[in-house]
Amino acid sequence: MVDRIAEPWGTRTPYAAGETWPVRIDTHLAEGVRAQDVERWVPSASILHSNGDGLDIAVKDGRIVGVRGRGHDRVNHGRVDPKDLFGWQANNSPDRLTRPLVRENGVLVETDWDTAMERIVSRSKAQLAEKGPGSIGFYTTGQLFAEEYYTLALIARGGIGTHHLDGNTRLCTATAAAALKESFASDGQPGSYSDVDHADVIALYGHNVAETQTVLWMRMLDRLAGPNPPQVVCVDPRPTPVARAATVHLAPRPGTNVALMNGLLHEIVANGWVDEEYVARHAVGLEELQMRVRDYPPERVATICDVPAEQIREAARIIGTAERLLSTVLQGFYQSHQATAAAVQVNNIHILRGMLGRPGCGILQMNGQPTAQNTRECGADGDMPAFRNWANDAHIAELAKLWNVDPIQIPHYAAPTHAMQIVRYVEEGSIGMLWVTATNPAVSLPELARIRAVLSQERLFLVVQDIFLTETAQLADVVLPAATWGEKTGTFTNVDRTVHLSEKAVDPPGDARADLDILLDYARRMGFTDKDGQPLVKWSTPEEAFEGWKECTRGRPCDYTGLTYDKLRQRGIQWPCNDENPEGTERIYENGQFWSAPDYCESYGKDLVTGGAVSPTEYRALNPLGKAVLKAAAYVPPHELPSDDYPLQLITGRTVYQFHTRTKTARAPQLQQAAPEVWVEVSEADAATWDVGEGDLVEITTPRGEVRARARITGIRDGVVFVPFHYGYWDAEAGDEADRHGRAANELTLTDWDPVSKQPIFKTAAAALRLVERADGLPSPAPTTAASAPVAPVPATRGGAPAEAEEQLLPLGGTR
Ligand SMILES: Nc1nc2c(c(=O)[nH]1)N[C@H]1C(S)=C(S)[C@@H](COP(=O)(O)OP(=O)(O)OC[C@H]3O[C@@H](n4cnc5c(=O)[nH]c(N)nc54)[C@H](O)[C@@H]3O)O[C@H]1N2
Ligand SMILES: Nc1nc2c(c(=O)[nH]1)N[C@H]1C(S)=C(S)[C@@H](COP(=O)(O)OP(=O)(O)OC[C@H]3O[C@@H](n4cnc5c(=O)[nH]c(N)nc54)[C@H](O)[C@@H]3O)O[C@H]1N2
Ligand SMILES: [Mo]
């Protein structure tokens, strides 16, 4: 038994390069429930991050009573993340939404499904009649199932015919997709998690994998604990567990990633670490890249990033001489002003070094949410289903044929509207109805004062489909109670293309319904039909929807045609899975084969600095043979830089114990107690400058607002403060409304985005700090176990008996 709050990564099971990662089966059951009491174990996968860990849900008396990792799952070999070990308790929470709500005289009151749905249908019809399809918007998530996204995409694009459908994946993985589209002209992750087993160098860019995909980090830790461990390069301004384990830790000034990457590329080119033969055969764009990085010698980069030139050289040497290089990229790169430009430079390293499509040579342009990959694949974001190219008329015609609608019905006159633009249309009133599914924008979008104003407008009809009465739901006109993971069936795909089936284990509470059923009900009530007058949506169960989705993917990169629910009941399988690859595909882009041919590719690309679209003709001229594309970019400083009034740089992000806006993790006592309140991380030097001690209450201010939090003094780089974004609007302890203090990080963030991926900038704003109140000896509520570890000793974060989980270690190669 291990206290998995005190030890989030559990016990080490070391292994050597090329060996199989040992099995360790993690189990946590509700207090008083023993394994022999469990009536059924229902196969599913993890839902509180993107790793896609196979696990079984324990059921007793019609309720979820725990989870157990699946030893034979290719992703986790039995291990379970702390959030997944304890987070299922939220399903059983007494404050789940169980009945639809409608707003009457300003207050939300319970009602039945007919009343709630008829309100939505009559408003939809009125919008369509008066203002047309462009007056309806959908804002979805990275947390539903593929079947649900595909149905939503069909309804929004094929049924209503609106251009305004995007996901919170815009805040999350838009840059992962954009970077892959720029380099390989298609989404689709080149890597496999098993690359960890083979790599001799692992480079992590703005990715705190230790806290955000803990099981992937366990795999890396086990390699680090074994013979011939890989070298690790970490790029992060904070002393994350990754940074502490790194061979080289580069801690750049926030927002300088492109300069740093150009510096690394400069060294790779200058030292002749380029695989010239690979590049000549399989890539275009070398000359432009060489020219661009010439301007970034380590000394210049050192001044921009405030990182020693020697460290840049050292990191470049490790990466440039690696034989099997695995790279991962996440929000430290994605949520900044040159997000795509920076992420693309990581792809460039792999293309230049010929490190693709071989064991150990993977790129993971990481996802964050469990099902974000599916939002993108299914076209429930700013993409077309199955990686079709919105700018290629033949692709739209194909989709129209499949859906049996007129191509004109599917808007494709421009790129689909991105989430920040949808918010803008709501703000100015051209979108009069917004349907939000499984996301909590009143906490997670930037500049919350603005978002609250936009979402609470009288003229807006806001539908919120959630499992709790969130900050966003409280602003809605209609609230629909949804079933969630464990209460409904569907598939989802993780970052290394592994598809898992998650089966219904228990009934949802009260009248709550599966998201798929809600969407199907809407389609039926709206009477959407195809060209022949038949129902547009031709399925009524998840499995039928999956069959429909498979047809949509036929011949596309994310080919699901070889998968069935039955096959997925046995194990998770990586797409493409079709007649040629019936067991799935571990690595794509083997032998320099890409999906980038002009007629086939998902995207023609964009200019990395302005975001201007490359035209079909230009793309054809640039890349006629469908190779990989090396794309260069000059460094541009962040838009909001420190000033006299706001001398610090604010970054925001996550802790290992909480998930997003905490609707689930705050309802799991072990997780909530481990990180109960917002805090701010401050360096020792900055703490001295502003006369702040451990635990002191401080106010962080930006031009948008202020937040009060208790200071944690850490090894974060000087000049930078970090606030976790998990905590909703208000300081719960403060008394009446007037006294309440902001505690949501997004009170502080700015309305601005990367020009290519349109991903908002959550990392870098200019900020000021002020002492409000001394601590009285109490430390900050920040956890001690990971990036927020204090420099001076404070009591360690522990979970005690309620946080104990069983670990079953099996001999090397053993499965279960
Ligand atoms: N425990 C937990 N796990 C999660 C989630 C969660 O909420 N909680 N959410 C999931 C989701 S949806 C996502 S998207 C992922 C996100 O996973 P990550 O991207 O790993 O998490 P973040 O904390 O957002 O940011 C990562 C790091 O970026 C660094 N950073 C900030 N600014 C810069 C910069 O300018 N340059 C560089 N190089 N680094 C910078 C921060 O210091 C931080 O350590 O996590 C997933 N997993
Ligand atoms: N400052 C700052 N802001 C950020 C970030 C950051 O790093 N810094 N990160 C951004 C990123 S990467 C992300 S992904 C977003 C996340 O932001 P959100 O998407 O707003 O976060 P969640 O709390 O996960 O919201 C998901 C909602 O779906 C509900 N839900 C769960 N399961 C189901 C279901 O099956 N059906 C339905 N209908 N509802 C369900 C939950 O109760 C919850 O309200 O935040 C973004 N915002
Ligand atoms: Mo995310």
Side-chain angles (χ1 to χ4, degrees), residues 209-222:
V209 65
E211 298 194 58
T212 58
Q213 288 90 8
T214 56
V215 171
L216 186 58
W217 181 237
M218 293 174 207
R219 198 165 186 155
M220 295 178 186
L221 282 176
D222 286 344

Side-chain angles (χ1 to χ4, degrees), residues 305-628:
C305 304
D306 189 26
V307 169
E310 238 356 273
Q311 268 191 12
I312 298 168
R313 287 209 173 82
E314 176 62 2
R317 190 190 56 75
I318 292 172
I319 292 166
T321 59
E323 281 167 26
R324 288 176 305 279
L325 171 68
L326 171 64
S327 300
T328 78
V329 193
L330 201 46
Q331 302 306 359
F333 270 39
Y334 296 172
Q335 293 175 337
S336 59
H337 67 294
Q338 285 194 292
T340 312
V344 158
Q345 304 316 313
V346 178
N347 297 342
N348 285 346
I349 291 181
H350 283 258
I351 299 168
L352 284 182
R353 303 224 52 239
M355 301 252 165
L356 282 165
R358 291 188 279 127
C361 300
I363 306 173
L364 296 167
Q365 295 282 355
M366 287 301 293
N367 297 340
Q369 294 173 90
T371 76
Q373 188 66 45
N374 308 99
T375 317
R376 277 143 55 188
E377 290 167 4
C378 297
D381 63 347
D383 295 307
M384 288 292 156
F387 300 162
R388 285 184 174 80
N389 189 339
W390 65 265
N392 183 333
D393 285 343
H395 287 196
I396 300 296
E398 222 174 70
L399 198 59
K401 189 162 167 237
L402 181 75
W403 290 351
N404 195 27
V405 299
D406 202 297
I408 253 173
Q409 173 69 16
I410 305 171
H412 61 285
Y413 46 84
T417 318
H418 63 90
M420 296 299 286
Q421 189 64 38
I422 291 180
V423 172
R424 176 73 186 129
Y425 289 153
V426 174
E427 183 171 41
E428 66 187 16
S430 67
I431 291 180
M433 168 175 161
L434 182 69
W435 190 334
V436 174
T437 40
T439 179
N440 189 8
V443 180
S444 57
L445 280 175
E447 205 181 341
L448 288 183
R450 169 177 179 252
I451 298 302
R452 282 191 290 268
V454 170
L455 294 182
S456 45
Q457 291 174 97
E458 192 61 41
R459 64 184 173 187
L460 172 69
F461 184 76
L462 180 66
V463 180
V464 174
Q465 185 167 318
D466 207 289
I467 65 172
F468 293 109
L469 193 64
T470 61
E471 290 85 346
T472 309
Q474 289 173 35
L475 305 175
D477 295 285
V478 178
V479 179
L480 302 176
T484 186
W485 171 93
E487 300 162 354
K488 60 181 185 177
T489 293
T491 54
F492 58 100
T493 308
N494 74 354
V495 73
D496 86 342
R497 295 170 282 103
T498 305
V499 185
H500 280 107
L501 175 65
S502 179
E503 298 209 68
K504 176 173 170 174
V506 299
D507 285 328
D511 296 343
R513 287 186 184 169
D515 295 274
L516 180 65
D517 293 332
I518 299 173
L519 293 169
L520 292 172
D521 186 28
Y522 176 67
R524 207 186 53 242
R525 289 173 193 262
M526 288 294 289
F528 295 129
T529 52
D530 65 12
K531 276 203 299 206
D532 301 325
Q534 296 303 307
L536 177 71
V537 186
K538 297 183 170 48
W539 46 81
S540 53
T541 67
E543 192 161 3
E544 287 166 18
F546 187 72
E547 292 300 314
W549 165 236
K550 277 165 61 179
E551 265 326 297
C552 183
T553 66
R554 187 177 292 283
R556 296 301 301 162
C558 51
D559 198 329
Y560 279 67
T561 50
L563 294 172
T564 60
Y565 269 27
D566 261 348
K567 231 163 144 175
L568 292 170
R569 281 192 182 100
Q570 311 306 313
R571 64 192 180 93
I573 301 176
Q574 289 167 289
W575 64 248
C577 179
N578 47 23
D579 288 346
E580 299 91 81
N581 309 290
E583 301 308 315
T585 309
E586 173 122 50
R587 286 181 191 82
I588 59 174
Y589 304 155
E590 289 176 350
N591 311 313
Q593 301 294 308
F594 301 98
W595 289 314
S596 55
D599 292 330
Y600 187 75
C601 67
E602 181 185 11
S603 166
Y604 303 127
K606 293 178 182 172
D607 180 84
L608 285 189
V609 172
T610 64
V614 174
S615 75
T617 322
E618 286 168 321
Y619 183 76
R620 215 171 271 282
L622 166 79
N623 194 18
L625 302 176
K627 298 183 176 188

